[in-house]
Amino acid sequence: MDQCSYIYQNDSESDPAPKKKGRNTDITYINGNFLGSSELEHQNPPFLPGFYMAKILINGTESFNAIRTVVVGLCLPSGCSIADVETLLKLDISRRHVEQELVGVRSPTLNNFSLWDDFTFRILFIFSVIVVILLISGTGYDLVLRRRYKAKMRIKSYCKELTGDMTNGLGCTTYDLTHREPEENGKGNCTVIRVPASVNNNNSDENLAVAELTATEETKLSLWAELLLSFSVVTNFKAICDKNVGNDTIPSIHGLRAISMAWVILGHTMIVVFKYSDNMELRKVVEKEFLFQIVLNGAYSVDTFFFISGFLVSFIYFRTNAKGKLEKLTKGVSEFTAGTFHFFGLVGYRFVRLTAPYLYVLGVVEVVMRYLEQNSVFEPPTQDHINCPKYWWRNILYINTLFPVEQMCMLWSWYLADDTQFYIIGALILIIAVRHFKFAATMMSVFMVSAWATTAYIAFSNNHMPDADDPFALFDKIYDKPWTRLGPYLVGMSVGWILFKTNCKIKMSLLTVISGWVTSTMMMLYLLFGLYNTTLTQTAAAAYSSLSHTGWAIGCGWVIVACSSGYGGWVNKLLSTPILYPFSRVTYCAYLVHPIINRIFALESDSPIHMTPNALTTVYLGQVVSSYVLAFIISLSFEAPVVTMLKILSPNRKKRI
């Protein structure tokens, strides 16, 4: 304190409005949110320097009569405590004519944070080491079996003919990871192996599979050996990158999912980047641009995920039931008991499959945000370093959206909570629909109308104006609540049932096709750009908030129906492009990790980012690449092994010959 006071007194005796950056106690006020760089500490000061940030609220100036928040960067002796700096600043503020208020002071140079002292980090480290060992062991064992098989096949000329018929280029293997199905060409000495490799972002029950050939003289493997092989990076990576899709999958779903994920990353990147830019006023300018409405209405990308999730859950459940696989699990029990078994089986399977990568990323978020909070010159956008240790259990139970947003850990996990709650509702409806379809349809209608009415009431009572308000203005009342986002999920379930009943063979006249495409295109374009320079009444705004998300899902529904029925044209070719399949299959992990990349990029900088259109484009592309690289790693390490193990342990799994 003595050293700080001495320098402060020396500085106060000089020019009260210093203009030179070389002063030891220079307080540089920059318009907006610029706070200089922590590396711009002065050369050869007579003390060990430290970097401090002070947030000051300015109530008004002669030229700008409005409340503003300014962040100030200071280079002071590192011996100064936070309390010392606050005292000095309050003295300085009291001498100024402009009314100001010190909000707080923080310093990244005073922290004593150590990763190895963090309990969560130690758990993550141990768990990561165990997973790496399993990956190495599983991959090594896989390669050994493949080498043995190849050596055996060199002797057997007939296998060369069989492998010549393959189109996926994945080669042969000698072990059966899941179940075997006869190959379509009828060759009795080969089988098709289905190796589930990952789950989609909407957490449906789609089984991503890769077909491989094997001779009937397959190596007999124990259950533990097969579980170890589920960690094979080679097999899982080939499965993720396979150009084929599962029997119960609509190819265009993959493209819709991959494009929506890119849209989500775009929206989140813009939010974080603008928050930590030195020209924050640029956002007010670009928000008035017509094309920027795509970013402002990025919430519809999440509605696409809800639609896809509901669609696949319904479509696959009805197909699975039609094949009689569900009856085998509950044969000889009452209808109520069978339905109960089905329900807990579906929910349990989903919980195990989602939670492994989710729990790991949850721990990473806690550690990363705690580190950034201690070491960044910026304040973190959320309080994950505080909320995650307290409320992580809400995330694991998928109920975090039922609590205030201020207490939420991993803010973007609201989607997983809502989607899981929708899944529970959907599972009940589907189980009932098998025997009591009309009652289930009535339940779905009641849920749909209730969601519309609830959303309209909340929007109207809070005077929410979607044409003028920030998209997240009512985050804790409308945006993340399950009772306001249920509509798209139920639309997806309805479309899934329609395509199941018609076996994806809906016959439509040319007029119907044209009308469907024109109507859906116009509706989706209106939802994206229709509010541009538009003013809504309070009643119209409430109706828009209530029905817009369902309307978007209906548009997506037409796209899937048309593409799966042969009326998709170039849209179907685009959405069904095989190059999109790998990105679609790791979308769940990409959704989990991309906000971490956003925050690291922004908070690890020692100065604000100056945003220009070219800079925004470069940052966005870098965020996409980084997110997907990390998503592939997480998927190969956690998601794919868990899904494969669940298939191995499934009661429906066929015995090996």
Side-chain angles (χ1 to χ4, degrees):
M1 179 62 185
D2 293 338
Q3 190 178 24
C4 286
S5 301
Y6 170 77
I7 296 175
Y8 180 81
Q9 291 169 1
N10 281 350
D11 186 59
S12 63
E13 293 173 359
S14 61
D15 184 2
K19 300 180 180 179
K20 196 173 180 180
K21 282 192 174 182
R23 304 182 64 89
N24 288 337
T25 58
D26 179 24
I27 301 179
T28 308
Y29 289 89
I30 303 296
N31 188 24
N33 196 35
F34 184 77
L35 46 94
S37 170
S38 61
E39 294 181 356
L40 296 181
E41 295 172 345
H42 313 294
Q43 298 180 355
N44 302 320
F47 51 80
L48 182 65
F51 191 73
Y52 301 80
M53 295 86 63
K55 179 181 288 188
I56 299 175
L57 186 65
I58 302 179
N59 290 335
T61 63
E62 294 180 359
S63 59
F64 193 83
N65 187 22
I67 298 177
R68 305 201 60 180
T69 301
V70 177
V71 179
V72 183
L74 305 95
C75 186
L76 296 171
S78 59
C80 296
S81 66
I82 297 295
D84 295 335
V85 178
E86 288 179 346
T87 301
L88 295 176
L89 287 172
K90 288 178 180 178
L91 288 173
D92 181 79
I93 289 174
S94 64
R95 300 176 182 179
R96 298 181 181 271
H97 299 293
V98 179
E99 184 179 352
Q100 302 177 23
E101 178 184 351
L102 179 64
V103 178
V105 176
R106 59 193 309 270
S107 173
T109 59
L110 291 183
N111 78 83
N112 296 316
F113 179 77
S114 172
L115 286 175
W116 293 108
D117 293 335
D118 188 273
F119 179 72
T120 304
F121 175 79
R122 293 200 297 266
I123 294 178
L124 289 175
F125 179 79
I126 295 172
F127 195 63
S128 299
V129 170
I130 294 174
V131 171
V132 169
I133 293 174
L134 290 173
L135 292 173
I136 295 174
S137 303
T139 304
Y141 189 33
D142 185 6
L143 294 176
V144 169
L145 293 178
R146 289 173 183 267
R147 186 175 302 174
R148 291 178 183 174
Y149 183 73
K150 288 181 180 179
K152 184 186 297 184
M153 288 303 100
R154 292 192 188 100
I155 304 174
K156 300 181 179 182
S157 58
Y158 70 87
C159 187
K160 293 181 180 180
E161 297 177 358
L162 295 180
T163 56
D165 293 334
M166 294 181 61
T167 59
N168 56 21
L170 297 184
C172 295
T173 180
T174 62
Y175 50 90
D176 182 6
L177 292 183
T178 56
H179 63 271
R180 310 188 324 166
E181 299 175 358
E183 193 176 4
E184 293 180 359
N185 60 17
K187 294 179 180 179
N189 54 352
C190 275
T191 60
V192 177
I193 291 182
R194 300 292 181 183
V195 187
S198 69
V199 293
N200 46 66
N201 79 291
N202 56 75
N203 314 319
S204 73
D205 287 330
E206 174 192 5
N207 293 325
L208 303 178
V210 54
E212 294 189 354
L213 298 176
T214 178
T216 52
E217 298 93 357
E218 60 182 29
T219 303
K220 291 185 178 181
L221 300 176
S222 66
L223 177 63
W224 292 107
E226 294 190 21
L227 291 176
L228 177 62
L229 288 171
S230 66
F231 286 89
S232 172
V233 175
V234 175
T235 297
N236 291 330
F237 184 77
K238 287 181 177 180
I240 292 175
C241 297
D242 184 28
K243 295 181 179 180
N244 300 313
V245 295
N247 296 331
D248 294 329
T249 304
I250 307 298
S252 54
I253 285 288
H254 285 290
L256 197 62
R257 184 189 302 131
I259 294 173
S260 297
M261 189 64 244
W263 192 3
V264 169
I265 296 176
L266 174 64
H268 287 172
T269 299
M270 295 298 103
I271 292 173
V272 173
V273 163
F274 276 121
K275 181 177 178 63
Y276 297 103
S277 64
D278 61 354
N279 52 341
M280 295 177 65
E281 298 299 320
L282 176 65
R283 179 175 180 177
K284 297 180 180 179
V285 176
V286 298
E287 282 181 351
K288 298 179 181 179
E289 298 292 333
F290 182 76
L291 290 179
F292 197 76
Q293 305 307 303
I294 297 175
V295 177
L296 293 179
N297 291 308
Y300 292 124
S301 61
V302 184
D303 291 321
T304 305
F305 288 157
F306 284 138
F307 165 81
I308 294 174
S309 183
F311 169 81
L312 289 174
V313 166
S314 174
F315 185 72
I316 294 174
Y317 182 85
F318 282 120
R319 277 204 169 185
T320 303
N321 181 72
K323 295 176 182 178
K325 293 183 179 180
L326 297 179
E327 292 183 2
K328 295 179 181 179
L329 299 177
T330 56
K331 189 175 182 180
V333 299
S334 65
E335 178 183 339
F336 177 80
T337 304
T340 303
F341 285 164
H342 288 173
F343 175 77
F344 285 105
L346 289 170
V347 175
Y349 180 86
R350 176 189 173 87
F351 178 83
V352 174
R353 189 184 61 194
L354 295 187
T355 304
Y358 184 24
L359 184 59
Y360 184 82
V361 173
L362 199 63
V364 172
V365 169
E366 178 184 333
V367 173
V368 169
M369 294 307 297
R370 185 178 294 127
Y371 172 84
L372 293 175
E373 193 276 333
Q374 292 287 330
N375 291 276
S376 176
V377 299
F378 300 101
E379 290 185 353
T382 56
Q383 301 296 308
D384 291 318
H385 58 290
I386 298 175
N387 291 337
C388 288
K390 293 181 178 179
Y391 306 118
W392 62 270
W393 57 272
R394 296 176 181 175
N395 293 67
I396 300 305
L397 294 178
Y398 300 94
I399 58 174
N400 44 314
T401 53
L402 305 180
F403 297 89
V405 67
E406 294 81 9
Q407 300 176 2
M408 190 177 296
C409 165
M410 194 171 161
L411 186 62
W412 60 98
S413 65
W414 71 268
Y415 163 76
L416 299 179
D418 281 3
D419 194 65
T420 300
Q421 294 165 35
F422 298 162
Y423 184 88
I424 294 174
I425 295 173
L428 288 172
I429 294 175
L430 291 174
I431 292 171
I432 295 173
V434 172
R435 297 181 181 272
H436 309 282
F437 180 80
K438 292 183 179 180
F439 181 72
T442 302
M443 286 180 59
M444 183 178 292
S445 301
V446 171
F447 276 119
M448 179 73 81
V449 174
S450 298
W452 291 342
T454 302
T455 306
Y457 173 77
I458 296 174
F460 186 86
S461 60
N462 289 274
N463 197 23
H464 177 55
M465 294 294 174
D467 57 310
D469 293 347
D470 186 280
F472 305 106
L474 293 180
F475 187 93
D476 207 19
K477 294 182 179 180
I478 290 182
Y479 191 87
D480 74 327
K481 290 298 178 277
W483 43 84
T484 64
R485 303 301 294 263
L486 181 58
Y489 195 92
L490 297 180
V491 171
M493 290 182 62
S494 302
V495 174
W497 177 81
I498 292 172
L499 289 184
F500 161 73
K501 292 294 291 184
T502 59
N503 198 24
C504 300
K505 297 177 181 178
I506 301 177
K507 299 297 182 181
M508 292 182 282
S509 64
L510 180 61
L511 179 61
T512 302
V513 173
I514 294 176
S515 300
W517 276 111
V518 171
T519 302
S520 63
T521 301
M522 295 300 295
M523 180 169 60
M524 297 177 83
L525 287 177
Y526 173 76
L527 292 173
L528 283 178
F529 304 106
L531 297 185
Y532 182 69
N533 290 336
T534 301
T535 302
L536 298 176
T537 64
Q538 186 174 2
T539 302
Y544 183 92
S545 300
S546 173
L547 302 176
S548 58
H549 299 289
T550 303
W552 180 267
I554 292 174
C556 293
W558 167 259
V559 172
I560 297 303
V561 168
C563 290
S564 60
S565 302
Y567 303 103
W570 65 268
V571 176
N572 183 49
K573 292 180 180 179
L574 173 64
L575 297 179
S576 303
T577 303
I579 195 174
L580 296 177
Y581 293 172
F583 301 101
S584 170
R585 289 166 178 156
V586 299
T587 301
Y588 174 49
C589 290
Y591 184 84
L592 289 176
V593 302
H594 80 274
I596 304 177
I597 304 296
N598 291 157
R599 284 156 172 74
I600 291 176
F601 168 76
L603 297 179
E604 275 290 89
S605 302
D606 67 342
S607 61
I609 308 163
H610 186 75
M611 284 294 101
T612 63
N614 289 337
L616 286 172
T617 302
T618 303
V619 169
Y620 169 64
L621 294 178
Q623 294 288 310
V624 171
V625 173
S626 301
S627 298
Y628 271 103
V629 169
L630 187 56
F632 268 91
I633 295 174
I634 297 296
S635 182
L636 290 171
S637 302
F638 299 96
E639 186 182 21
V642 169
V643 174
T644 306
M645 285 189 289
L646 286 172
K647 293 297 294 184
I648 293 172
L649 300 174
S650 172
N652 262 336
R653 184 198 172 195
K654 297 181 180 180
K655 300 290 186 179
R656 285 187 291 112
I657 297 176

